[in-house]
Amino acid sequence: MITARWVRTLSGASAMALMLAAPAAFAQNNQLKQVDANVVGEQTVFTVDLKSPLAQKPVDFTTQNPSKIAIDFFDTGFVGGRAQYEYAGKLLKSANVMQIGDRTRVVLNLSRNATYRTEIRGTQYVVLMDNVTQSATAAAPTFAPSPTVTAAVAANRPSVRNIDFRRAGESAGRVVVDLSSRDTGINIQQQGQNLVVDFMGTSLPADLRRRFDVTDFGTPVQGLRANDANGSARLIIEPRGNWEYSSYQTDTQFVVEVRPVKNDPNKLIAGQGYRGERLSLNFQNIDIRSLLQVFADFTNLNIITSDTVQGNLTLRLKDVPWDQALQIVMDSKGLASRRNGNVLWVAPKAELATKEKLELESMQQINELEPIRSQVFQLNYQRADDVRRMLLGLPVAGSGGGAAPAGGAAGAASVTRMLSKRGSLTADPRTNQLFVSDIGSKLEEVQGFLQKIDIPVRQVIIEARIVEASDTFSRNLGVKLGFALPRSGSAIGNSYQNVASPFTADSKWTNAPALSLPAAAINGVDPASVAFSIFNAGAGRFLDLEISALEADGKGKIISSPRVVTANNIKALIEQGTELPYQSATSSGATSIQFRKANLKLEVTPQITPEGNVLLDVDVNKDSVGIQTVNGFAIDTKHVQTQVLVDNGGTVVIGGIYSQDESNNVNKVPFLGDIPVIGNLFKNNAKVNNRTELLVFLTPRILNDNVSLK
C-alpha cells in the first residue's frame, strides 16, 4: 500500500503531521477529465469527458432506494482521485466521482427513479435521463385480463435465470445472479443482519424459490433465500460475523461480494455510526481554530467557527474516521456542531442551545400569530370519524376492543395530538370528509399523514378444511345350549320341555336354556342365528344348540370447509351450527332457558409480511351435538388455536388428532370355556376396533386488484 503523507506547519505549533490514506497506484490507459450536466428540453444530459475513446464499454446499474445510477469505467483513472459535484436539479441532485483501484466509478444521485439511456460520442460518454415521468392516462373501466393476456405479459417480464455462489479470495463469498435483461432495476440494502436484494418487476422461476445452504464454503455468508415479494424477485443474503460488501453489474450478471473484516489491533475502532474516510492526526499544542481548518481542507466542507471558540489542543489519532475524530475534538473542548448542506457551524454547546431555544420560541410566537386556514380532505378508504380521533389523540374504535374500523385503522390509535393548540377539525360521516382549520404547516402535516394511511388495504382469503375420518369394526359371536325331556305321562316323541336343570327351586319345569351366551346386537341390529338339535331315542332326550353371530364394518369421512375474506390485520369470523337450550338457575331460585352453541367456527386475523407471506392468528372450532344426558345434550368439541406463517397460496396442517379404540371381550363358563374347541360352546366373544382421525388444513391467498372470489 502506497500512502501519501501531508505535513503542514502552522503558526504556534511546535510539530504536527497529517497522514492521509490514498488508494494504491495503478497505471491506467485512459483518464477521466471532467463531468458536466445540462437540462435539454425534457431530459437531463450528463456528460463524462475522457482523455481518449473508450476501449471497453462501461458497466452501469441502478438502485431504487435511494435512487442512484452507478457507472464503472474500467482501466480508467481520475486525476482528482475523488470529487463531489452539486447540481441541485429537479432530477439530478449531485454526482460523486471516485477512483477505485484501476477503475473509476461515477455515481449519479437522483431525486427519484427515472428511465435513462447511454451513448458513446467519441471521447464522451453521455447519460440521457428523462425529467418527466409518464403521465397517468384517463380513468377507464378495468377488466380482469384473460388467461392468454396474462400469460403473454408474464412471458415478456424479465426473469432471474440462475443464482450461483462461489468462494472468492480472502474468504469472500460471491453471489452471482444471472438476469434475462441488463435493464433490470436493482435495489440492495442492509436489513438487520441480512442483505436484501430486490430485482424490480422480475419473475423468479419456481425451482429457484428456496433456501441455499452455503455454510460449507467457509465464507461470512451462511445461506441464501430466494422468493417472490409483491411481483418482484427478492434475494436475502445471510452473512454472519463482521463483514462488508460490494456490488456491481456486468451486462446481465449482478454480483454481490461479501468479505470478512479483519480488525487491526493497532487501529482505533470506529464508533457506531461513523462512516467517514480515515485519517491520522499528530499535533502538539495546536490552536483549535487551525485544527478545524485542517478538517475543512480534508473534507471539503465549509466550516464556520464561532468567535467564542478558543484554546489549544494536543492530540494523536491514528487511522480514525474523520467524523469520529471531529467529534472527539469537539467533545474535548465542549463544542457542538450543526450541519446545513456542506456548511458546518461549530460553537460551544451552551451557545448553540441558547440560539436554538430562541429560534424555537420565535417559531412558537409566529405559530400563535400565523393566520388560520381551512382545508377539506376527502377520504376514500378510511372512515372520517376514525381519522378525526387519531388526529386529536383519542383512542380509535377497534384499538381497545371495540369494532374494528374499515380499512385497517384498528391498532393505529394516536396518542399525540397532531394539530396545534389553535387547530380544530370536524368529520362529516355522510360524505366521509374532514374539515380541518389550522396553520399552514400543520395542514401540510395532516395532508402527508392522510396520504400514508388513506390507501387501499390488501385483502386475504382464508380457507380451512376440517377432515374427520373414521374406520370402525365390530364382531360378536355367541351360543345357546339346552336339553329337552319328555313331559310326564307323555310318550317319547310327543311333548318335550327344555330344562335348565332337573332340579329347580320350585320343582317345576322351565323353558329357559341350560346355557345362554348369545351374541349382542350392534347399532340396533340383531345378530343372525342358526340352531339344530340332537335326539337320543333310547334315552328319550334332546340336545339343542343355537349359534349367533354379527359383524359390522363402517367407514366414514366428514369434510367441513369454511372460507372468509378479510382485510390485512383485521379479524374475521364465520360460523354455522346449532344452539342447544338448557335450563339454568337464577339467583332468585327460578329457572331460565339459556343456549349453548354447537357450531363450526373459523376466527382468523391475517398479517401480510414484506416477503409476501401471510402470518395467521387462527382459532378453529368444530363442535357437534353429542349424547343426551339427564341435564340435556352433551357437546362434542374439537378446537385448535395457533399462530402460523404460511406462503401465499400454500397449505399447512395446523393440527391433527388420531385415536384408536381396540377391545376384545369374552364371557364364558369357568373351566368348560377353557376346553379346546369344545370350549367355544360355553362362551361368547365381542371384538371392537375403531379408529378416528381429525386433520385441520389452512390455505391463505392474497387477493390482487384484478382477482375476484369465485
Side-chain angles (χ1 to χ4, degrees):
M1 177 72 69
I2 300 176
T3 58
R5 183 179 299 270
W6 180 18
V7 181
R8 171 179 293 183
T9 302
L10 300 176
S11 60
S14 58
M16 54 187 172
L18 176 64
M19 297 176 290
L20 304 177
F26 293 89
Q28 294 87 15
N29 294 326
N30 205 346
Q31 289 288 330
L32 190 151
K33 298 191 297 183
Q34 64 178 5
V35 297
D36 191 16
N38 296 289
V39 177
V40 180
E42 296 182 352
Q43 287 185 331
T44 296
V45 181
F46 184 81
T47 306
V48 179
D49 289 326
L50 301 160
K51 181 179 179 181
S52 58
L54 290 168
Q56 181 180 356
K57 185 178 180 181
V59 173
D60 60 274
F61 64 94
T62 63
T63 62
Q64 305 295 321
N65 187 19
S67 301
K68 294 184 178 182
I69 300 175
I71 309 166
D72 285 339
F73 296 87
F74 296 97
D75 197 17
T76 302
F78 180 50
V79 178
R82 181 173 184 173
Q84 180 175 352
Y85 302 89
E86 298 292 337
Y87 298 109
K90 293 184 178 180
L91 177 61
L92 181 60
K93 297 189 297 183
S94 61
N96 295 329
V97 182
M98 66 198 79
Q99 182 179 345
I100 306 173
D102 61 345
R103 62 189 171 104
T104 297
R105 171 169 290 185
V106 178
V107 180
L108 306 182
N109 301 310
L110 309 179
S111 59
R112 56 172 174 79
N113 297 330
T115 57
Y116 73 97
R117 69 179 189 275
T118 61
E119 296 179 359
I120 298 177
R121 303 173 181 174
T123 59
Q124 289 185 337
Y125 184 82
V126 183
V127 183
L128 298 98
M129 295 166 284
D130 295 331
N131 296 334
V132 182
T133 58
Q134 295 181 356
S135 58
T137 57
T142 57
F143 303 93
S146 65
T148 304
V149 175
T150 303
V153 173
N156 293 329
R157 287 181 58 194
S159 63
V160 176
R161 295 188 294 195
N162 190 33
I163 300 175
D164 192 13
F165 184 83
R166 305 167 187 171
R167 178 185 170 95
E170 299 181 354
S171 301
R174 182 176 297 168
V175 183
V176 182
V177 181
D178 189 12
L179 304 170
S180 62
S181 173
R182 66 181 301 273
D183 298 327
T184 301
I186 302 173
N187 181 28
I188 181 170
Q189 58 183 334
Q190 184 174 349
Q191 294 182 0
Q193 291 293 330
N194 299 332
L195 274 176
V196 179
V197 186
D198 288 322
F199 301 93
M200 314 307 293
T202 303
S203 62
L204 184 67
D207 58 335
L208 295 179
R209 298 176 191 173
R210 58 188 179 93
R211 187 181 188 277
F212 302 83
D213 188 356
V214 294
T215 308
D216 296 339
F217 284 86
T219 69
V221 182
Q222 303 297 304
L224 311 171
R225 284 186 287 128
N227 54 38
D228 274 334
N230 301 327
S232 299
R234 169 168 290 183
L235 178 64
I236 302 176
I237 304 173
E238 302 172 349
R240 293 298 180 265
N242 193 10
W243 52 272
E244 60 184 5
Y245 79 95
S246 61
S247 62
Y248 61 92
Q249 183 175 358
T250 304
D251 198 16
T252 60
Q253 282 193 340
F254 181 76
V255 180
V256 180
E257 191 169 295
V258 181
R259 299 175 298 277
V261 176
K262 298 180 181 179
N263 295 326
D264 188 350
N266 297 323
K267 293 184 179 180
L268 291 177
I269 300 175
Q272 184 177 7
Y274 297 112
R275 296 292 185 268
E277 188 175 349
R278 295 177 180 268
L279 54 78
S280 297
L281 300 172
N282 188 359
F283 294 105
Q284 295 289 334
N285 198 27
I286 183 175
D287 180 69
I288 187 66
R289 290 175 171 271
S290 300
L291 182 58
L292 293 176
Q293 182 61 41
V294 172
F295 281 102
D297 294 339
F298 180 78
T299 61
N300 291 327
L301 288 175
N302 300 313
I303 298 182
I304 301 176
T305 306
S306 174
D307 294 338
T308 55
V309 176
Q310 302 292 336
N312 296 336
L313 187 66
T314 298
L315 77 160
R316 182 180 184 274
L317 299 176
K318 183 179 180 181
D319 203 13
V320 181
W322 72 263
D323 47 354
Q324 184 181 10
L326 179 61
Q327 188 64 45
I328 293 173
V329 170
M330 291 190 299
D331 290 342
S332 64
K333 288 297 183 180
L335 304 176
S337 65
R338 297 294 183 267
R339 183 169 179 174
N340 185 5
N342 64 342
V343 178
L344 190 69
W345 180 34
V346 180
K349 293 181 179 179
E351 181 179 337
L352 282 177
T354 302
K355 180 180 181 299
E356 291 176 349
K357 181 180 178 181
L358 293 175
E359 289 179 351
L360 292 176
E361 291 176 351
S362 176
M363 292 178 58
Q364 185 176 2
Q365 293 176 359
I366 293 175
N367 291 339
E368 292 177 354
L369 298 176
E370 185 178 352
I372 298 295
R373 296 193 295 112
S374 298
Q375 188 170 349
V376 181
F377 298 95
Q378 176 68 53
L379 301 179
N380 299 318
Y381 303 100
Q382 295 280 3
R383 286 202 288 257
D385 188 65
D386 293 333
V387 178
R388 178 188 67 83
R389 299 180 67 88
M390 283 190 281
L391 294 176
L392 294 178
L394 302 175
V396 179
S399 61
S414 175
V415 296
T416 304
R417 177 185 173 95
M418 186 172 293
L419 301 181
S420 66
K421 295 181 180 180
R422 303 165 60 198
S424 63
L425 60 86
T426 303
D428 182 12
R430 295 181 304 107
T431 59
N432 205 38
Q433 290 181 332
L434 277 179
F435 300 86
V436 185
S437 297
D438 211 330
I439 60 177
S441 59
K442 289 296 181 180
L443 291 178
E444 293 179 359
E445 291 182 16
V446 171
Q447 183 174 5
F449 176 72
L450 296 180
Q451 288 177 350
K452 293 181 179 179
I453 68 169
D454 191 30
I455 58 176
V457 180
R458 304 181 69 184
Q459 298 184 93
V460 183
I461 175 174
I462 302 100
E463 180 178 0
R465 292 183 181 88
I466 306 171
V467 181
E468 302 173 80
S470 62
D471 187 356
T472 60
F473 175 79
S474 301
R475 183 176 64 194
N476 293 342
L477 299 176
V479 297
K480 287 183 180 181
L481 184 64
F483 300 93
L485 293 176
R487 292 182 183 274
S488 177
S490 300
I492 296 176
N494 292 336
S495 177
Y496 290 84
Q497 185 172 13
N498 290 331
V499 294
S501 173
F503 305 101
T504 59
D506 54 0
S507 301
K508 293 183 179 180
W509 300 104
T510 176
N511 288 326
L515 177 64
S516 179
L517 294 173
I522 301 177
N523 298 329
V525 178
D526 294 327
S529 61
V530 58
F532 59 89
S533 300
I534 301 176
F535 173 66
N536 188 336
R541 300 173 184 271
F542 273 111
L543 175 62
D544 293 332
L545 178 63
E546 179 180 324
I547 300 175
S548 57
L550 181 63
E551 182 177 300
D553 190 3
K555 297 181 184 294
K557 183 169 64 174
I558 301 175
I559 300 178
S560 305
S561 181
R563 293 192 299 175
V564 65
V565 179
T566 183
N568 186 28
N569 285 322
I570 298 298
K571 180 185 293 185
L573 172 66
I574 184 172
E575 60 180 347
Q576 177 189 17
T578 305
E579 291 192 358
L580 301 176
Y582 66 94
Q583 290 186 348
S584 175
T586 62
S587 58
S588 62
T591 59
S592 62
I593 301 297
Q594 296 186 3
F595 292 88
R596 183 182 176 187
K597 292 182 179 181
N599 58 3
L600 169 65
K601 183 183 74 171
L602 171 63
E603 183 177 320
V604 61
T605 304
Q607 178 182 344
I608 303 175
T609 65
E611 293 81 10
N613 301 328
V614 183
L615 181 65
L616 298 173
D617 284 319
V618 61
D619 190 351
V620 180
N621 271 84
K622 178 64 171 66
D623 299 340
S624 58
V625 180
I627 62 175
Q628 187 173 12
T629 66
V630 294
N631 296 321
F633 285 97
I635 296 179
D636 298 332
T637 301
K638 303 175 184 65
H639 182 205
V640 58
Q641 182 177 3
T642 185
Q643 184 182 78
V644 63
L645 181 65
V646 192
D647 293 338
N648 179 26
T651 301
V652 64
V653 180
I654 63 171
I657 300 175
Y658 177 81
S659 61
Q660 184 173 5
D661 180 13
E662 188 173 359
S663 63
N664 191 3
N665 299 322
V666 178
N667 299 314
K668 63 183 178 180
V669 177
F671 305 113
L672 296 178
D674 296 330
I675 300 174
V677 183
I678 299 178
N680 292 324
L681 301 177
F682 300 94
K683 62 183 177 181
N684 70 357
N685 178 279
K687 183 178 181 181
V688 176
N689 188 0
N690 295 334
R691 293 177 296 174
T692 61
E693 187 172 10
L694 171 68
L695 293 175
V696 181
F697 300 86
L698 211 61
T699 304
R701 293 185 180 88
I702 301 174
L703 298 181
N704 297 325
D705 295 338
N706 57 350
V707 175
S708 60
L709 178 63
K710 297 182 179 179

